[in-house]
Amino acid sequence: MKNRLWVLPAVALGGGFGANALAGDTTLSYGQLEKLLNSAEDYGFNRYEKLDADHDDNRFEIEGWRADGWELDVAMTLNEGTLMRESQRKSIAPDWGLTKEELNAALSKARAEGMQHFAELEVDSDGHVEIEGYNAQQGQFELDLHREELNSEHRDTGSANG
């Protein structure tokens, strides 16, 4: 499988990096991202299509689905995770949306490749995952993956017997 690595915005979980490292408070640290993703779980997200940090509007947007098939589109403040907007519509959760485990695997891979601050993550119906963020040198970071890579990595690292 082919990984492309550029330098643009992305997501990863883990220890916090100072948000002031890049252009004031215009980046999302790992600690902030983890807090926002925990809030997303409280809304019932179990499959994810898109995460987007909009710093101009102090907004973090999440699109995805609940286990019962309802499609969710939630916007919350970047700093506190306070709900700004929520919309729902009855749908069928597609199997191409990222599970929490796949999302965490994608973010961990981006972090391992050098992303330190998050901007956006999106998956399409073909399983193409694009993560954008910033590296330590304040350069833009972009990583392209395929959902299948996340499944195999998760099974390989999570299995003690073979």
Side-chain angles (χ1 to χ4, degrees), residues 117-138:
H117 296 275
F118 173 77
E120 185 176 355
L121 177 144
E122 189 165 2
V123 60
D124 65 21
S125 61
D126 293 328
H128 174 254
V129 180
E130 184 176 292
I131 304 172
E132 299 178 357
Y134 293 92
N135 65 19
Q137 294 75 34
Q138 301 181 20

Side-chain angles (χ1 to χ4, degrees), residues 65-82:
W65 295 266
R66 290 192 321 221
D68 62 6
W70 281 83
E71 187 173 357
L72 303 173
D73 184 353
V74 172
M76 56 185 83
T77 59
L78 282 174
N79 298 332
E80 301 86 26
T82 305

